[in-house]
Every structure is written in C-alpha cells, then in structure tokens.
C-alpha cells in the first residue's frame, strides 16, 4: 500500500540519488530549478512514510517539464510509478500547460502506457545515456 502526496524537493533527493544518479556525487541529484517558482514535487510514501517513488515538475517557458521520475527498486512493477505519473499529469491539466520530459530509452514504454508520445530522434544526455523527447497530451487521459 502507498499514498501519493505533494512534497518538497529535499525529501526526494535520497531516492533520486539512489535510482537516477548512482555512482555520482549527491549534488547530481539536486536540480537547479528545484526551488524555483512553479516547481512542484510529488512523492509516493509507503505505510511507514518512507519515500518509495518520486517525480518533479518544473515550469519553463509556459510548459511543464517532468524530471526525476523514479521508483525504489523493491517497489518497481507495482504501480507506484504510474500513480506518481497520474498526479503529475493531473497537475499539468489543472495548470492547462503542456507536459514533456526527456525520457530514458529504457523508460519510453512506461510513459507510452500512460499516453505519452516520443517526438524526433533519440539523443544522448552526457553521463546518463540515450533519451527521447516525450510529450503528454491530456486528450489521452
Ligand atoms: C521507470 C519507472 C519510474 C517505472 O516505475 P514503476 O513503479 O516500476 O512502474 P509501474 O509499476 O507503475 O508500471 C506501470 C506500467 O508501465 C510498465 N512499465 C514500467 N516500467 C517500464 C519500462 N521501463 N518499460 C516499459 N514498460 C514499463 C509496467 O509494466 C506497467 O504496465 P501495466 O500497467 O501494463 O502492468 C521505474 O522503473 C524506475 O524508477 N526506473 C529507473 C529510473 C528511470 O528510468 N526513471 C525514468 C527516467 S526518464
């Protein structure tokens, strides 16, 4: 069992670091826009209140960028990521702003299951690997 709530970036750093930036310094798990106006952070919490899933939404140029999407390894494949993603999508719909992300190629299928679409050719993010630009359209909800 888990719940989804809006939270602070600080509470997500440990999970981001573990899942998204292993082997890098902890500073790599902080995003420059974490505290910027319009940034919103979501956590999935287990019954003990531990953070087991996370995602952040950064407002840029009248659009929302999803960043830091991660599920704790022992919780992957149990619906946590999808529940966090639904919270992100609902936030974008409330804001009436387009939602996009740079998705790891290995995660493209996860986003496609929720109605996201790739755009253009894959590109490499230094130190992380190949990515696709992906967009969510609210019509797919
Ligand atoms: C990608 C990630 C966030 C998915 O979270 P999760 O909690 O495991 O996903 P869920 O259990 O909610 O899966 C929802 C659906 O997507 C599917 N899915 C999950 N990960 C997938 C993947 N990598 N590729 C294709 N489909 C995937 C699941 O099978 C499930 O499908 P179903 O509804 O038909 O059963 C998680 O695996 C993760 O943290 N991966 C490592 C970090 C990462 O790649 N983050 C994304 C950076 S862009």
């Amino acid at each position: 069992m888990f719940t989804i709530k809006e939270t602070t970036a600080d509470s997500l750093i440990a999970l981001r670091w573990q899942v998204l930036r292993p082997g890098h310094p902890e500073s790599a798990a902080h995003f420059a826009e974490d505290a910027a106006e319009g940034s919103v952070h979501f956590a999935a919490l287990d019954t003990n209140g531990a953070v087991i899933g996370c995602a952040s939404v950064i407002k840029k140029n009248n659009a929302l960028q999803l960043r830091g999407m991660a599920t704790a390894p022992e919780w992957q494949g149990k619906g946590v990521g999808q529940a966090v993603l639904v919270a992100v999508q609902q936030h974008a719909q409330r804001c009436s702003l387009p939602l996009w992300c740079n998705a790891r190629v290995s995660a493209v299928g996860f986003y496609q299951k929720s109605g996201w679409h790739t755009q253009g050719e894959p590109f490499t993010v230094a130190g992380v690997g190949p990515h696709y630009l992906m967009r969510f359209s609210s019509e797919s909800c």
Side-chain angles (χ1 to χ4, degrees):
M1 251 197 28
F2 59 88
T3 53
I4 307 295
K5 74 161 193 174
E6 201 174 313
T7 186
T8 61
D10 281 353
S11 67
L12 307 182
I13 301 300
L15 184 62
R16 283 186 190 166
W17 191 20
Q18 177 196 3
V19 177
L20 295 168
R21 299 288 187 272
H24 293 256
E26 195 249 20
S27 58
H30 294 257
F31 303 147
E33 310 92 338
D34 269 341
E37 194 182 337
S39 295
V40 179
H41 308 277
F42 294 96
L45 306 176
D46 70 10
T47 49
N48 296 316
V51 177
I52 56 164
C54 64
S56 297
V57 181
I58 311 294
K59 190 172 177 193
K60 282 183 183 173
N61 304 324
N62 244 15
L64 299 177
Q65 179 184 8
L66 166 62
R67 295 200 66 186
M69 176 83 235
T71 299
E74 64 275 23
W75 278 89
Q76 289 180 11
K78 296 177 178 168
V80 171
Q82 190 173 42
V84 173
L85 194 57
V86 165
V88 167
Q89 292 164 181
Q90 289 174 340
H91 173 72
Q93 287 170 316
R94 279 194 299 274
C95 297
S96 301
L97 289 173
L99 179 62
W100 64 278
C101 75
N102 290 327
R104 295 178 184 201
V105 167
S106 58
V108 162
F110 165 71
Y111 293 108
Q112 284 173 329
K113 290 222 162 184
S114 290
W116 293 59
H117 301 279
T118 60
Q119 184 179 325
E121 298 300 316
F123 57 93
T124 298
V125 174
V128 186
H131 285 67
Y132 272 98
L133 170 62
M134 294 193 79
R135 294 188 185 281
F136 174 74
S137 68
S138 52
E139 291 78 37
S140 36
C141 277

